[in-house]
Amino acid sequence: MKKKSAKASYKEHRRQELEKQQKTNKRLMWITAVAVVAIIALVVIFKPKPGPVDFAYDQLPVLGSKEAPVKIVEFGDYKCPTCQYFSQEIAPKLQKDYIDKGLASLHFVNFAFLGPDSTTAALAAQSVYHQSNDAFWKFYDALYKNQGNENIQWATPEFLTNLIRTQGIAVDANKVMDDIKNKTYVSEVDEHNAKARKSGVTGTPSLFINGVKLANAVDYDSIKSAIDQALKGEGK
């Protein structure tokens, strides 16, 4: 009887010890989980926000005054239908409300990713830009107005140079053709694409206001609000 009693007592003791250990382990797990969550929260709260993206504005096409206090940068692909919408619907409002008043300037950076002729169009546009900044914006407008289907390779050297001639864009179309064929400005287009990826651009159009990326590049109210904040110095 004593042996059975001692054995039963030992088992009960072990059971209590195991329960105690399990409770301790659960407590430690909860403490650890809470600590991990707290650390993650602190990292999120105190993680420094990325600063504004630096652009070499003097090396980009510019619409408006170079001295304008607010600098808008559009990343675009000439084959992108939404970029066409931006050029036809958003850009004219920006020009009327801000650019013509000297409050903002619009700059363009290529993000040629939709197809091989995205690069062809970008090469043509860079050639036009290096001949004339003013002609670039006329070409920009004409190219989007005459945009083809994004799933078809329509931006051929012949189409692009013919557009220059028919739209009366004051540059040497033969030189543009040579620049396309010789890929004269391919390094610039490559740099633009690399800048897009480094800046967190994943699609077009993407818009930056004084180096700060906007969430929506085709919502004029949001764009206007960001520009107004930048003008007040609140967007810095």
Side-chain angles (χ1 to χ4, degrees), residues 66-86:
K66 294 179 181 179
E67 285 73 43
V70 176
K71 291 177 171 52
I72 307 165
V73 172
E74 175 203 354
F75 282 90
D77 185 318
Y78 295 109
K79 283 172 64 84
C80 166
T82 313
C83 293
Q84 181 191 54
Y85 175 84
F86 178 88

Side-chain angles (χ1 to χ4, degrees), residues 5-210:
S5 178
K7 191 174 183 180
S9 177
Y10 174 75
K11 285 184 178 180
E12 177 62 21
H13 177 73
R14 285 292 298 159
R15 184 185 66 77
Q16 291 177 358
E17 287 292 322
L18 287 171
E19 286 183 355
K20 185 178 179 181
Q21 185 63 46
Q22 287 174 351
K23 289 179 180 179
T24 301
N25 289 342
K26 285 181 181 179
R27 192 178 298 112
L28 288 172
M29 288 174 63
W30 275 108
I31 292 171
T32 302
V34 170
V36 169
V37 171
I39 291 169
I40 292 172
L42 288 171
V43 169
V44 171
I45 292 170
F46 293 104
K47 182 181 179 180
K49 294 181 179 180
V53 175
D54 289 325
F55 291 99
Y57 295 106
D58 60 337
Q59 297 175 27
L60 299 174
V62 56
L63 183 64
S65 171
K66 294 179 181 179
E67 285 73 43
V70 176
K71 291 177 171 52
I72 307 165
V73 172
E74 175 203 354
F75 282 90
D77 185 318
Y78 295 109
K79 283 172 64 84
C80 166
T82 313
C83 293
Q84 181 191 54
Y85 175 84
F86 178 88
S87 74
Q88 303 301 303
E89 300 296 332
I90 303 297
K93 292 179 182 178
L94 289 173
Q95 186 160 6
K96 177 178 176 290
D97 294 343
Y98 297 101
I99 295 171
D100 287 347
K101 296 176 181 177
L103 300 173
S105 56
L106 176 63
H107 304 257
F108 184 83
V109 182
N110 294 287
F111 187 29
F113 72 101
L114 287 174
D117 54 334
S118 296
T119 298
T120 307
L123 290 171
Q126 288 303 108
S127 176
V128 172
Y129 162 62
H130 282 284
Q131 290 189 52
S132 167
N133 179 77
D134 290 342
F136 168 86
W137 291 102
K138 292 178 181 178
F139 184 61
Y140 166 97
D141 187 58
L143 194 48
Y144 279 123
K145 282 182 178 176
N146 293 274
Q147 186 185 72
N149 189 307
E150 66 177 310
N151 298 313
I152 298 172
Q153 291 189 30
W154 55 268
T156 63
E158 292 74 22
F159 174 88
L160 296 164
T161 50
N162 185 59
L163 190 65
I164 290 170
R165 295 186 179 96
T166 59
Q167 297 298 312
I169 297 169
V171 294
D172 185 342
N174 291 328
K175 186 177 187 314
V176 174
M177 175 66 83
D178 289 341
D179 285 339
I180 295 170
K181 290 181 177 179
N182 296 327
K183 297 185 176 181
T184 305
Y185 298 106
V186 70
S187 61
E188 291 185 3
V189 175
D190 288 344
E191 286 175 9
H192 286 195
N193 290 336
K195 184 70 172 180
R197 295 185 180 95
K198 186 177 180 181
S199 303
V201 174
T202 56
T204 54
S206 285
L207 222 60
F208 287 73
I209 307 293
N210 282 356

Side-chain angles (χ1 to χ4, degrees), residues 70 209 212 214 220-231 235:
V70 176
I209 307 293
V212 179
L214 267 64
Y220 189 68
D221 288 339
S222 297
I223 297 169
K224 190 175 186 301
S225 176
I227 294 172
D228 290 342
Q229 286 181 356
L231 285 169

